[in-house]
Amino acid sequence: MNLKTKSILAVNTIIVIVCIVMGVIGYFRAGEVFAKALQMKASADVSAIAEILNSRYDGDWHLQDGLLFKGDQQMDGSDSLVDSLSAICGSKVTIFNGDTRVATTVKDSAGKRAVGTKASETVINNVITQGKSFLGEAMVMGEQHYAAYQPIKDVAGKTIGMLFVGVGVKEMNDMLIGLIFSSTALAILVIVILCAVVSNFFISKIIGQLDSVVGAMKKISGGDLQIQNLEIKSNDEIGALCKGAVL
């Protein structure tokens, strides 16, 4: 491998490494922004779902024979309702009766709806016990989610259930990794091509003068001490070397 090829490979290798490092840094920074955006979306979606239910079903939230109702509409087992709400917001949706899922798009490891399962203790404490909304990361059926929970209160102001909207952290991370990888790979390809062209031009000029020196040295080693046609185009160290060869 000649010096020109080695130089071009060295330059492009450094550029690729820099691009990869920048991609990794970009991934972590984008991840933070992405997480905040998803949490804000979840918060907006759970509020929108609450408004949809309020406009679609007249009457107050209440418990009747242990079942959760919105007006005359029973929420326990309303799978088609949460499916339609999930389609609207593009996230997982759950209606809780107290701390228990009674209608949900969340599924267990067997692919069945996680009806009858409970929320995490952190969520229960914040939403059911304290009657506050919850926004952030929460464990849902053993998987971390970007989630928003909103309390469901009866006419007396007692928290009798919850609305949940969320998206899996792993699902979003996989999507983000794919996006960062594809964009970084494309950026590296474009940069490497551009740098290969530019570096080839400049390195060729530099190496070209060294080739002249090598040719002059070969003539000298062959006994020809008269070097008349050695071109000198720079005033740097290579130019000095060329002048030394002429002298």
Side-chain angles (χ1 to χ4, degrees):
M1 185 181 297
N2 59 37
L3 183 58
K4 175 182 175 181
T5 302
K6 289 180 180 179
S7 301
I8 293 174
L9 285 176
V11 170
N12 288 331
T13 299
I14 293 172
I15 291 171
V16 169
I17 292 173
V18 170
C19 289
I20 292 174
V21 171
M22 291 179 64
V24 172
I25 295 173
Y27 165 74
F28 285 107
R29 296 195 64 179
E32 294 175 1
V33 175
F34 207 46
K36 291 180 181 179
L38 287 173
Q39 289 173 9
M40 291 177 62
K41 179 182 183 300
S43 178
D45 285 344
V46 77
S47 297
I49 285 175
E51 289 298 323
I52 291 172
L53 293 175
N54 285 332
S55 63
R56 187 178 296 182
Y57 306 110
D58 293 329
D60 298 316
W61 289 98
H62 64 279
L63 295 174
Q64 182 177 323
D65 298 326
L67 300 176
L68 182 66
F69 282 80
K70 177 67 170 71
D72 296 329
Q73 175 63 38
Q74 178 179 315
M75 294 297 164
D76 293 64
S78 56
D79 294 338
S80 59
L81 172 60
V82 292
D83 286 343
S84 65
L85 294 174
S86 177
I88 291 172
C89 67
S91 303
K92 297 175 184 176
V93 175
T94 299
I95 299 175
F96 287 82
N97 181 341
D99 59 6
T100 304
R101 295 177 179 89
V102 294
T104 182
T105 60
V106 175
K107 297 181 179 180
D108 59 22
S109 58
K112 296 181 179 180
R113 294 180 190 265
V115 174
T117 57
K118 295 183 180 295
S120 67
E121 289 298 326
T122 301
V123 170
I124 293 173
N125 180 59
N126 277 271
V127 184
I128 299 296
T129 304
Q130 301 181 44
K132 301 177 180 179
S133 295
F134 176 90
L135 178 63
E137 291 190 27
M139 192 65 69
V140 180
M141 295 299 295
E143 181 184 351
Q144 201 75 3
H145 282 67
Y146 298 114
Y149 290 82
Q150 182 171 303
I152 295 173
K153 299 185 178 184
D154 61 15
V155 67
K158 179 182 178 182
T159 301
I160 58 174
M162 299 182 289
L163 293 176
F164 158 84
V165 172
V167 60
V169 171
K170 183 179 183 301
E171 178 184 352
M172 287 298 99
N173 283 347
D174 290 344
M175 183 184 300
L176 182 59
I177 289 172
L179 178 63
I180 294 293
F181 179 79
S182 60
S183 59
T184 301
L186 179 60
I188 289 175
L189 178 62
V190 172
I191 292 172
V192 167
I193 291 174
L194 290 175
C195 289
V197 173
V198 174
S199 62
N200 181 69
F201 173 75
F202 286 104
I203 291 174
S204 293
K205 291 184 67 177
I206 295 172
I207 301 300
Q209 295 185 81
L210 287 178
D211 287 340
S212 298
V213 174
V214 171
M217 294 302 181
K218 286 181 178 179
K219 288 183 178 181
I220 293 172
S221 64
D224 184 359
L225 301 180
Q226 299 298 318
I227 308 300
Q228 302 295 332
N229 299 317
L230 186 60
E231 296 183 1
I232 303 172
K233 298 181 180 180
S234 65
N235 294 317
D236 55 15
E237 289 83 353
I238 294 177
L241 181 62
C242 293
K243 291 176 183 178
V246 172
L247 297 175

